[in-house]
Amino acid sequence: MRTPESPIGLPENIDWVTAVDPPTLALRLARQVADFLNAAITERGRATLAVSGGRTPVPFFRALSSMKLDWTKVEITLADERWVAPAHPDSNERLVRENLLVGEAASAHFVGLKSEPSSATRGQESTERALAELAWPLDVLVLGMGNDGHTASLFPDAPELGDALAVATQRRCMALHPPSVPQARLSLTRSTLCQARHVLLQLQGKEKKAVLEKALVNPCREDEMPIRAFLRPGLKIYWNP
Ligand SMILES: O=C1O[C@H](COP(=O)(O)O)[C@@H](O)[C@H](O)[C@H]1O
């Protein structure tokens, strides 16, 4: 549904869902994700969910963790990770363990992206092996977006971006080294992310909405604003001011 707050240039085939504040948006998003997970469990006996890190998803994680569904049949992974120990304050795994894998959701099965090797580049292969145990494609993917138009860890300044955005890649995950951020990243590739059955994007604030409008309206390339690769029919965007 279009409202006066809908971003300029938003195509009709992308949903725009708004709420007055973060808790209300988080609950709305959590209910939608829980419905998708339940439907996947009914249809296929299990459900796979990938979530993003950063500050935005915390209230959503909390809301989702209180939803009643058969969490023993849900597998959760990350859209991206910083190459830091799982106990590190910047770890997306830590964020998910503390805020999502609690309450009702404590019995979900989690597969993180950080593996033992000493660098993200060396860790790619072991993470690929760990990811192979999940059921693919993802049933549900919840993305976020940075103010530079990155999503997952597909950063515009990462030297590896071209490979990570390649539609034909066989890789599920890839190491990226964007100079704009302090830690190396591991990210699911565009090809893996785009195969998800349901893709949702959670955004907060007017600044992020302006970034989205820039990606929608400007004739820029995907490697300048990687979020553009995901602005496709069926996407659901959840936004609060
Ligand atoms: O670095 C990251 O940034 C984006 C956005 O994070 P936020 O703090 O602005 O919500 C996030 O989607 C991505 O997963 C994360 O690793």
Side-chain angles (χ1 to χ4, degrees), residues 51-57 79-82 90 92 142-147 150-153 155 181 185 201-202 204 208:
V51 294
S52 296
R55 293 174 308 272
T56 309
D80 71 311
E81 181 60 287
R82 296 115 198 251
D90 294 340
N92 287 342
V142 185
L143 291 171
M145 183 188 74
N147 287 339
H150 85 264
T151 189
S153 277
F155 281 80
V181 291
R185 304 288 184 120
L201 170 63
Q202 186 187 11
Q204 221 158 78
K208 292 257 173 102

Side-chain angles (χ1 to χ4, degrees), residues 106-144:
S107 55
H109 176 56
F110 178 74
V111 175
L113 301 186
K114 172 72 173 67
S115 50
E116 284 301 316
S118 58
S119 72
T121 305
R122 289 199 190 99
Q124 290 175 115
E125 298 310 323
S126 41
T127 303
E128 284 281 358
R129 284 195 293 278
L131 289 173
E133 76 177 70
L134 297 175
W136 297 90
L138 294 166
D139 290 298
V140 189
L141 165 67
V142 185
L143 291 171

